[in-house]
């Protein structure tokens, strides 16, 4: 999708690269046994290693390495069998050691790709430059005291995967699509929960602009720690407009680190942008190079789940549903699993219509997630079976589904309790149809005179007279014979 911003001197192209920090799902931290649980009391999940005590030696957490490899495989990336940890040196109050253990020249994961889908139906491949493992820092709290800041080290040492994209992103929409797709893949893999509101996934946004695709990249600015997809998209738009104004007024954009203020709708300067040499990277002397076996990588590959792109294609093929419906249904793994349980052995299109329609609407109305649904996939499927065998019709099914959400009962129990079985007695339906026709002789004449749309009126009157329980197909057949005969 072509996307440009119009300035006073014409159109400008946006160039974006994203650095996503994804917290690894692991019970303990990258180099210590301290807990990674979210929401504990300040400094309650801290080991001596996390606190930077002298003489404490880090020990690599194999589970975190495995999660990084799983992610690399999910991103169709190169797995580096040999990698190395480095010390990234900088001083900040929430970094007790004065350095962060990270990876620089030799990351665990190399180049990969993420395919994104855009609103116009097109797709684009966004290149992955690398994925490396590193420690998270602690958290500064400035709102606890008017004169002092406090440090919470619960996050210090938590394993992060920093996933760096190529500067392939060309619009806020593409950035949003990339982040949503990346989060989806990580959740399917079970390597990161993607909860941006809890800080377990956040993005650094590198933005620059240029006049045309043939022009070399201009100076970029990095917007740090943006914690929602919506804010990432807003930050790109606002920062690009700021840079365009500078260039068009004859100025130069300074390479710097900025923050995004969503309340004021602006980015603000934090500090000049550091280059790699500013961090004085060097190999961590307390950690040996990380060497993994190809056979271990192959074992991990065998445990990968079916990923979203493959699942979407299979749903279209196996269940005959549209690309749009398949995309909606695979957005979350729990939704895909629920749908497949409903659809298996039944009409896939009908199952998709009910899941994405009335079922999703009921979830939204009750404020529940699919995991909290009082209606199980088995019971929703059983309701579709009652429609298929003629026990109830679609209109009755809507009432049954609503009752299922309120009571948790099986659909058949509700149908029997409320006397909702569909009327299939042709004699009874025919008698009702005769009564409706005799009461509406004028409309019968109009229908016979060419007003075909009145047929719906007669169907509606019969359904109303039977409390919506008449079989619609039988009603239509009887009325056709009587009105067209």
């Amino acid at each position: 999708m072509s996307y440009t911003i119009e300035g006073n001197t014409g159109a400008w192209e946006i160039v974006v690269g994203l650095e996503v920090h994804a917290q690894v799902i692991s019970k303990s931290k990258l180099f210590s046994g301290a807990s990674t649980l979210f929401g504990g009391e300040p400094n309650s999940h801290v080991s001596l290693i996390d606190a930077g005590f002298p003489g404490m030696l880090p020990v690599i957490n194999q589970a975190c390495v495995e999660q990084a490899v799983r992610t690399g495989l999910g991103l169709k990336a190169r797995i580096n069998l040999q990698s190395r940890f480095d010390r990234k040196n900088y001083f900040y109050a929430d970094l007790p050691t004065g350095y962060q253990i990270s990876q620089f020249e030799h990351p665990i994961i190399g180049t990969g790709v993420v395919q994104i889908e855009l609103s116009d139906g097109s797709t684009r491949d966004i290149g992955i430059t690398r994925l490396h493992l590193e420690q998270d820092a602690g958290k500064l709290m400035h709102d606890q005291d008017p004169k002092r800041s406090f440090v919470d080290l619960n996050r210090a040492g938590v394993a992060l995967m920093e996933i760096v994209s190529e500067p392939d992103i060309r619009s806020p929409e593409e950035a949003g699509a990339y982040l949503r797709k990346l989060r989806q893949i990580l959740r399917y893999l079970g390597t990161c929960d993607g909860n941006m509101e809890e800080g377990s996934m956040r993005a650094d946004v590198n933005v620059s602009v240029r006049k045309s695709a043939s022009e070399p990249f201009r100076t970029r600015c990095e917007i740090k720690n943006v914690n929602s997809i919506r804010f990432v998209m807003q930050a790109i738009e606002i920062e690009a407009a700021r840079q365009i104004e500078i260039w068009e007024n004859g100025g130069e954009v300074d390479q710097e680190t900025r923050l995004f203020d969503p309340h004021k709708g602006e980015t603000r300067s934090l500090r000049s942008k550091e280059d790699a040499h500013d961090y004085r990277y060097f190999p961590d002397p307390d950690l040996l190079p990380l060497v993994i076996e190809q056979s271990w990588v192959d074992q991990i590959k065998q445990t990968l789940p079916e990923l979203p792109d493959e699942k979407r294609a299979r749903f279209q093929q196996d269940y005959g549903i549209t690309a749009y419906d398949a995309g909606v249904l695979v957005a979350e793994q729990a939704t895909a699993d629920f749908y497949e349980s409903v659809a298996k052995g039944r009409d896939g299109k009908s199952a998709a219509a009910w899941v994405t329609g009335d079922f999703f609407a009921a979830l939204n109305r009750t404020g529940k997630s699919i995991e909290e649904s009082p209606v199980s996939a088995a019971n929703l499927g059983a309701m579709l079976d009652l429609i298929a065998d003629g026990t109830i019709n679609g209109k009755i099914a809507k009432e049954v589904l609503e009752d299922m959400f309120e009571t948790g009962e099986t659909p058949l129990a509700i149908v029997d309790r409320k006397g909702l079985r569909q009327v299939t007695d042709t004699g009874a339906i025919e008698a009702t149809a005769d009564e409706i026709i005799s009461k509406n002789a004028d409309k019968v004449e109009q229908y016979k005179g060419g007003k075909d749309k009145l047929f719906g009126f007669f169907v509606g009157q019969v359904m109303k007279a039977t409390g919506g329980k008449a079989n619609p197909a039988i009603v239509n057949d009887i009325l056709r014979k009587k009105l067209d005969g």
Side-chain angles (χ1 to χ4, degrees), residues 48 51-57:
L48 297 177
F53 274 54
M56 297 295 104
L57 296 177

Side-chain angles (χ1 to χ4, degrees), residues 263-329:
H263 302 294
K264 294 185 177 180
E266 65 181 19
T267 65
R268 294 197 299 273
S269 180
L270 277 175
R271 58 183 179 270
S272 60
K273 180 74 175 91
E274 299 92 345
D275 289 312
H277 64 265
D278 295 316
Y279 291 116
R280 294 177 292 115
Y281 281 99
F282 62 83
D284 192 298
D286 293 333
L287 289 161
L288 292 170
L290 180 61
V291 179
I292 58 180
E293 299 291 334
Q294 183 62 50
S295 59
W296 187 57
V297 175
D298 293 339
Q299 289 174 17
I300 296 172
K301 190 172 185 178
Q302 294 301 313
T303 69
L304 293 185
E306 183 180 36
L307 292 175
D309 287 348
E310 290 75 23
K311 191 179 288 289
R312 184 175 60 247
R314 183 172 63 80
F315 276 13
Q316 291 177 250
Q317 175 69 31
D318 291 356
Y319 300 113
I321 61 177
T322 65
Y324 175 81
D325 281 347
V328 171
L329 291 166

Side-chain angles (χ1 to χ4, degrees), residues 297-401:
V297 175
D298 293 339
Q299 289 174 17
I300 296 172
K301 190 172 185 178
Q302 294 301 313
T303 69
L304 293 185
E306 183 180 36
L307 292 175
D309 287 348
E310 290 75 23
K311 191 179 288 289
R312 184 175 60 247
R314 183 172 63 80
F315 276 13
Q316 291 177 250
Q317 175 69 31
D318 291 356
Y319 300 113
I321 61 177
T322 65
Y324 175 81
D325 281 347
V328 171
L329 291 166
V330 305
E332 297 289 345
Q333 191 164 19
T335 304
D337 292 344
F338 186 95
Y339 165 74
E340 189 147 32
S341 294
V342 174
K344 191 154 290 184
R346 301 184 177 94
D347 179 74
K349 292 180 180 178
S350 177
W354 277 98
V355 171
T356 61
D358 292 83
F359 177 73
F360 276 6
L363 287 178
N364 290 334
R365 186 175 63 252
T366 56
K368 295 183 182 296
S369 68
I370 200 163
E371 293 89 347
E372 300 166 331
S373 171
V375 177
S376 66
N379 277 345
L380 184 59
M383 190 191 79
L384 298 188
D385 292 340
L386 294 180
I387 299 172
D389 67 16
T391 302
I392 59 176
N393 57 40
K395 182 178 179 181
I396 295 173
K398 291 177 183 291
E399 181 182 342
V400 171
L401 181 61

Side-chain angles (χ1 to χ4, degrees), residues 26-29 32-38 44-46 50 154 158:
S26 170
K27 292 181 179 179
S28 54
K29 297 182 180 180
S32 82
S35 171
T36 60
L37 284 176
F38 176 79
S44 61
H45 301 157
V46 185
D50 309 320
N154 279 348
V158 166

